[in-house]
Amino acid sequence: MEKRVYNFSPGPAVLPLPVLEAAQRDLVSLPGVGISILEISHRSKAFDKIINDAEANLRTLLGIPDNYRVLFMQGGALFQFGVIPMNLLRDSGKSADYVVTGTWSKKAFDEAKLQGLSVNVAWDGKPTNFNRIPKQDELKLNPDAAYVYTASNETIQGVQYQTEPAFGSVPLICDMSSDILSRPIDVSKYGMIFACAQKNAGPAGVTIVIIRDDLIEKSPANLPSLVNYKVFAEGKSLLNTPPTFPIYMVKLVTDWILNDVGGLAKMASLNQSKAKLLYDEIDHSDGFYLPHAEKECRSPMNVPFRLAKTEFEEPFLKQAAERGLCELKGHRSVGGCRASIYNAMPREGVQMLADFMHDFRAKNS
Amino acid sequence: MEKRVYNFSPGPAVLPLPVLEAAQRDLVSLPGVGISILEISHRSKAFDKIINDAEANLRTLLGIPDNYRVLFMQGGALFQFGVIPMNLLRDSGKSADYVVTGTWSKKAFDEAKLQGLSVNVAWDGKPTNFNRIPKQDELKLNPDAAYVYTASNETIQGVQYQTEPAFGSVPLICDMSSDILSRPIDVSKYGMIFACAQKNAGPAGVTIVIIRDDLIEKSPANLPSLVNYKVFAEGKSLLNTPPTFPIYMVKLVTDWILNDVGGLAKMASLNQSKAKLLYDEIDHSDGFYLPHAEKECRSPMNVPFRLAKTEFEEPFLKQAAERGLCELKGHRSVGGCRASIYNAMPREGVQMLADFMHDFRAKNS
């Protein structure tokens, strides 16, 4: 086998090696079926079991109540950004509140706005380049909004809600693309949760949507089937051919979290402990490494940081890559470096990065 | 390796074995990259080469002129059914003509209609349960339509346009989901061609869209980005994370057609010869097997047929499955059996089915 490197990419991102190996083993022919998962009919009994198992795993891990549907959609988070207001805002006669904590919640706001719909910015982190999550009393909320929109974790800025926000009776919609399955959550606090799979839950090509029954009923009847939550839910995600292979991978990844890791509390503890390795290195670097996010909002998934001496950034990235520590370049809007250390990033990879950061500082201070 | 069966499923469908084996070999780590195709960043150089190669292969095989864009979208054909009229009809001030030759073109019509848009049925094959393609002079066409919509091959009814229809200056939009890459076509006759991959071009999860530059310009500005052809094309299919693995598979499948098969003329000849094995068996069965489609409209991709004595259908399907000839049950709207024999179905599989049909008839006549 080709030697693998440590992939700190923000997404698509590293997957658990045992999951990749299982997918590889069965790729040409699923045991007991005799055809590949890439060839299987979405109407077959074998695929029925796969999609049901994926949903059951998600229900177990996240404790999803019975009055929520689990949908497997295509199009990624950007698709949801457009479709959420089509379904839940357009015909509501109301406006929607967006809490803008970074690039992704801003994009979601923009996709509603360009449709000419009534949307308000309930808070905007832009003045400090999105380095923190607002406190509850900073939000300008409309108690009669169709929904409040948040992103639990901002991949680019590395800020995360540490506790679940509450918005009274207004439905809370949350983009959990970059931290779903990384920690336990209370689904009942949300009207709708969605997450593209390619960070913590699988490969690119499928988006997990968890939506409360009453919200599904709000979809206007004149929306095309594939952008209509109600029609899509009635079709049980099989309105047309779903992305069969990505759904199969979600099943394997959630099997891994359930059986190999031991659930989301354990997963969260492993993630916190991995993130601490990097944040400690940053905090103890005497200002050599500069964190982007404020301490109380730091994401355990995405760790963006800059080097105080920017001329060291290029050699830092180059020497890291030579050690097999890859995809560490930060997004241009924040600059510097970013280590994405999702569920599947092994602790050894993070330790190796922390050690490299330590050595690099020692040599260049 | 698990024994493989012959999979006559209408889609997702059989893939070329060498393609599956190549995907399997490199699944854990792409050579020279050190991470899996399932983990690769869509902004990486390695993926850039993959998506560019996939497009270049399609351009070579189909002879796509320079004034057409090739897009890789999500959502399957049903998504296109809804999105085409959003982009090309809604703000046009015109109506659109739909040639309804079977289940899929009917669904496309329905998805435009439910949006409250102006759509006309230019021809409807329903009176004879969609067993033929109309002649040009049967079509009721509006010379000022925004577009004419056709499906080149109807998967369920097994009817296919044998020659490319022409509609003057009205843009022709064609769903080629079930016969793209099965024969040479003249792309310049179409305004837009689309095809979900999971029949002839790859696994489920990606849709190939080939669209002429002037049509891209028609997209209304207030459409969400992922349903807006213009915005999607400007983003070069990378507006957000694309379905990386399905696109990689399209690259491998088109490599196979180019290099192993030798192009679309060769592919078409192999397909015709495979289909002849089954149609000959049906035609020479003294009415034991009844074809659905009229002779001059028969699809070489999907071969639906019934057994004159319907009580034999269940044992036919059961005994076929015992021989490893699987997924032969027909769609309920046509009944009986259906053999889908796309590009990747080996001739041996079709020969084995023809032999089985012959033996079954001999034993039960």
Side-chain angles (χ1 to χ4, degrees), chain A residues 30-282:
Chain A
L30 276 176
V33 181
I35 63 173
S36 168
I37 179 66
L38 301 170
E39 305 170 310
I40 202 169
S41 169
H42 56 298
R43 309 284 181 200
S44 64
K45 275 183 197 158
F47 185 73
D48 212 43
K49 178 158 166 51
I50 288 167
I51 193 169
N52 288 339
D53 285 355
E55 175 172 343
N57 285 353
L58 288 168
R59 287 192 177 273
T60 303
L61 285 166
L62 294 166
I64 301 172
D66 288 345
N67 62 325
Y68 287 74
R69 314 281 183 98
V70 177
L71 311 178
F72 296 100
M73 301 185 81
Q74 296 188 59
L78 184 59
F79 181 69
Q80 298 298 323
F81 297 170
V83 168
I84 287 164
M86 276 183 176
N87 281 268
L88 301 175
L89 183 56
R90 206 192 66 184
D91 290 5
S92 69
K94 299 184 175 189
S95 64
D97 287 337
Y98 280 72
V99 184
V100 178
T101 50
T103 306
W104 295 108
S105 44
K106 177 61 166 59
K107 266 191 203 276
F109 174 82
D110 291 344
E111 288 286 315
K113 185 88 183 167
L114 73 76
Q115 296 179 58
L117 300 171
S118 174
V119 279
N120 305 312
V121 175
W123 184 80
D124 188 353
K126 197 176 178 196
T128 58
N129 200 14
F130 304 115
N131 71 340
R132 68 183 186 90
I133 297 293
K135 292 180 181 59
Q136 191 83 14
D137 62 10
E138 294 179 278
L139 302 173
K140 286 183 191 138
L141 295 170
N142 171 1
D144 195 39
Y147 57 79
V148 183
Y149 182 99
T150 62
S152 54
N153 184 75
E154 287 282 355
T155 323
I156 289 177
Q157 287 81 12
V159 293
Q160 187 193 48
Y161 286 82
Q162 305 296 307
T163 53
E164 277 153 329
F167 299 101
S169 64
V170 175
L172 172 56
I173 295 182
C174 186
D175 175 0
M176 289 194 189
S177 292
S178 52
D179 67 359
I180 197 165
L181 298 173
S182 73
R183 58 178 177 176
I185 54 169
D186 180 353
V187 172
S188 72
K189 289 191 174 161
Y190 302 85
M192 171 179 163
I193 291 166
F194 68 94
C196 58
Q198 67 265 20
K199 292 151 198 301
N200 263 331
V206 66
T207 303
I208 298 160
V209 174
I210 302 164
I211 183 167
R212 212 169 57 206
D213 281 340
D214 59 305
L215 293 181
I216 282 182
E217 295 304 319
K218 295 188 187 294
S219 300
N222 63 353
L223 292 179
S225 304
L226 269 195
V227 300
N228 184 315
Y229 289 128
K230 184 172 157 64
V231 173
F232 197 86
E234 283 169 357
K236 295 178 191 299
S237 303
L238 298 172
L239 208 57
N240 69 340
T241 311
T244 41
F245 181 75
I247 292 172
Y248 165 75
M249 290 296 295
V250 170
K251 187 238 179 247
L252 295 186
V253 169
T254 49
D255 278 347
W256 173 79
I257 300 176
L258 266 174
N259 305 323
D260 294 20
V261 176
L264 291 190
K266 191 70 195 301
M267 192 82 254
S269 149
L270 292 169
N271 284 328
Q272 286 296 342
S273 144
K274 284 189 305 188
K276 189 171 185 299
L277 294 173
L278 298 186
Y279 286 120
D280 278 355
E281 196 53 48
I282 291 167

Side-chain angles (χ1 to χ4, degrees), chain A residues 2-5 7 12-13 15 24 28-29 32 34 39-40 74-75 111 114 198 222-223 225-226 240-241, chain B residues 1-5 7 12-13 15 24 28-29 32 34 39-40 74-75 111 114 198 222-223 225-226 240-241:
Chain A
E2 183 87 6
K3 190 181 170 345
R4 278 171 56 86
V5 299
N7 172 21
L15 285 162
Q24 181 177 47
V28 170
S29 185
E39 305 170 310
I40 202 169
Q74 296 188 59
E111 288 286 315
L114 73 76
Q198 67 265 20
N222 63 353
L223 292 179
S225 304
L226 269 195
N240 69 340
T241 311
Chain B
M1 193 186 82
E2 183 87 6
K3 190 181 171 342
R4 278 170 58 85
V5 299
N7 172 22
L15 286 162
Q24 181 178 47
V28 171
S29 185
E39 306 170 309
I40 202 169
Q74 295 188 59
E111 289 285 316
L114 73 76
Q198 68 264 18
N222 64 353
L223 291 180
S225 304
L226 269 195
N240 69 340
T241 311

Side-chain angles (χ1 to χ4, degrees), chain A residues 281 284-285 288-289 312 316 354-365:
Chain A
E281 196 53 48
H284 302 154
S285 73
F288 187 88
Y289 299 113
F312 282 146
F316 177 91
D355 292 346
F356 167 69
M357 288 170 73
H358 191 87
D359 294 349
F360 186 88
R361 175 167 69 93
K363 280 182 194 143
N364 296 288
S365 285

